[in-house]
Structure formats: structure tokens, C-alpha cells
Amino acid sequence: MNQTPDLEQLLTDPVVATLARAEETAWFTASPTETAAGIEQSGIDPAIVTDAQARFLRFAPWFAEHFPDTRATHGILESALVGIPDMQAELSSRFGKELPGTLWVKRDDSLPVSGSIKARGGIHEVLQVAERIAVEAGLMGPDDDARVLMTPAVQDVLSKHGIAVGSTGNLGLSIGIVASELGFKTTVHMSMDARVWKKDLLRSRGVEVVEHAGNFSDAVEAGRKTAEEDHSVWFVDDEASLMLFAGYSVAGARLAGQLKALDITVDANHPLIVHLPCGVGGGPGGVTFGLKLAFGDAVHCVFAEPTHSPCMSLGVRTGLHDAISVNDIGLDGITAADGLAVGRPSRLVGEHLQQLIDGYVTVTDERMKAFQGLLHDTEGIDIEPSAAAGFAGPWRILGDETYRAAFGLDETRMANATHIVWATGGSMVPAAEMAGYVAEGQRLVNEVVWG
Ligand SMILES: *Cc1c(COP(=O)(O)O)cnc(C)c1O
């Protein structure tokens, strides 16, 4: 579909050359774009964020009724922000560099309903589609409590509609679980790397799971095609959906509330630095948009990707965005990091949001697993490997004097910094599988090079 990029030319950039060798990299934006200008430049209307916030509130009573793990928060899907001083000390000692400020983990691995960051975006799109169908059928007012969707009249309408999605796993889980609960005919197209337990779980909930021999993009393509052939099917497009993006962005204001409750100041002298694992980019992109709206120039957002699948880093660095795939620079795209095995980035995020993204870090699978093992040993927190990708970033910023100088991160400000590693998934991983990850991670701690 796309013209093959001139590889030789691209490889003259040392960052692209490092990406092509599947080695770890970190590169940062040369100079800050003022947030207000960056938002304007994105062309994305901030009103989608408040709209999504209101939608989650309308659905809160529905969630509380249908998902017992949301009862304690009265149907609001949110995760804890947890301090991890022992992990901070351990990594400071391993990397041989004391991290100033405080290190936190955002526990999206334990989000209710589907145990990953996809519970923000994926679920939001399904809710929005359900509401729209019910409103168009004249069976729901725009501000009605969402429980009206469970009345027989609305259920009759929803059951005649389908939801389809292509996924490496976690998006399929989020969408499948909620769409089937709402009464949609739900189909999840999964790529070959998707875990068996995810497929089994979805089937147990009445979701049709279609397996594809190819990668993430092939699964997405297959989903798109079925929706094109049947107009009663809504296709959730992970590569370009604004509804997904809006759902993720709600995290910004929510995090602001959490930090306030913890009495943590975020301003020019107290920077907030957030590290987000990136697959296709919708999740970290949406969260970044929400964070920039909430904190302005005081927040720094860094994306973390696997060395074998650094699609966003490659797309932004080359300026080719979704016109280049990691395969074009000779990478296989294969990684143990669920959700991050994506070869081509989102059109929406790379092109429209790049001026708001501060940096890009790549991490080997071995290092992600080692982080995961260390987090288990130091804090007793278990997350999936992809969710640990963000732990390299804080030390990468410490090592990049040019970035810190350009963005005013002097010693005083670094000492005041709040570093948040966004842990994006894990609580639904079966115990035996998690134990295997942890054991491997603990072994790899002694094999990866830290210095
Ligand atoms: C999907 C996912 C991400 C990244 O989200 P994208 O929207 O694909 O960039 C990160 N971590 C986990 C565990 C995921 O499932």
C-alpha cells in the first residue's frame, strides 16, 4: 500500500540505525512546544475529553450493577497511584545513578473489568456506540442513566448490532467483555501472538474469537473488512479511533485529582514525568493529551517501546508515521510484550501529537522482564512484561543532559520531580503464567547489563 522508504537514506540517522539493530535507544524532543500551541496544532478538540468524562459518569451505575469489582468505586473505573521507594532504591543502585524525586507506579494493571489500560479506551468506545444506537432508535435521551440500555426494547436493538475489533489481546478483552455484557454480537479478531487464556476467557463470555495467522495489522484489517461488508457491525479501529483516544484521555484529570489528594504539587518547579508503554500509540497518546490538558507544560510524557517493535519511535523520527513499518528497517516485530507488538503506528497519534510527546525509549524484552522481576521482589507488585517497559525512562532522562537543559529540568527541579511509570496490564494474567514471568524476570535481573 505504501511506497517503500529509502532505507539507505533513513539509516544515516544514528537513532534509526540503532532502532534497525534492535538495540536500546532513547531520544528526546529538541525543544519544548508550549502546551496550548501543541493542543491547537493537534487539531483534536479538548471537548472530547469532557464528553468522555460525562459518559463514564452516566455509565457508572451500570458498571456497579454488572461488574462487582467496580462496586467499591460506585462504577468508576480507576486505578491506584502507588509509591515504590524500594524499587526506586533498587534501580538507582543497579543503574549506578540515584534517581532524584519520587518514583510511583500507576496501577492500570489492576483496572477493573479487564485489567489493562484498554479498560479506558476500548470500553469507552463501546459505551459511546451503544448510546448512539439507543439514542438514534429514540429509546434513550442524551443524558439518561445508561441502565436504560438493559431494558428489553433497547436490548432488542443492540442485539441486532455487532461490534468487531482486531487485537493482540488486551483491547479484545476490554471490548469483548463489555460489548457482550451490553448485548452486542461481538467478534474479536486476534493475531497469532495473542495468549490462549485471553481467547478462552472471551469465548466463555460468548464472544466470537477469530484467529489469524498474521500479525496485529492483519487482525485489524480482517476486522475492518467484516464491518465494511456488514453495516450493522461497528469496527473499533485501534489504528485511528478518536473514541478510543477520548477514553484514554480521561486519565489526565483523574490523575490530577489523585496527586492533589496525596498533596503532591505539580508546577514548573515540581515537574511530573510520566513513562508510558506504547503499542499502536492510542493509549499513551490519549493519556498524554489528557495529562497535557491537566498539567500543561509541567508534565513530560515519554513513550516506551520494545526494541523489536519500536513503531512510534520510527514513525516520528523518520516523519513517515504510518507510512513506515518496523519490518521496513529489518525488524521482526516479535516481542513478549503483549499489546506492544505493533509494526505500524497510529495515524492519529504520531502525526497529530508528536509536538506534545517529550521522548521515546526502547527496551529489550529481557530488560522489561528483569524490571518485572525486580518489582515483584522489591514491592510485591506483579505486572505483565509490557507494563514494565516504562522503568528505563527515568534513568534515560538522567543521562540526557541536553534534554534536561532544553526543558529546564535543573537539579532543584529534578529533586522535586514526580516520576510515574504507567503499568499498563497484568491483573488478568492467570497465576501460573504470572509465576512463570516472575521466575524468568528474576533470572534475567542477573543477565541484563545495568551499568
Ligand atoms: C495496548 C497496550 C499498551 C499500549 O497501548 P497502545 O494504544 O497500543 O499504544 C500498553 N500496555 C499494554 C499492556 C497494552 O495492552
Side-chain angles (χ1 to χ4, degrees), residues 116-118 170 238 248 277-284 338-340 342 384 386-387 424-425:
S116 82
I117 190 171
K118 303 294 192 310
N170 286 340
D238 198 17
Y248 291 119
C278 175
V280 73
D338 276 23
L340 309 188
V342 178
E384 54 185 278
S386 42
T424 42

Side-chain angles (χ1 to χ4, degrees), residues 274-288:
V274 182
H275 299 272
L276 297 146
C278 175
V280 73
V287 171
T288 294

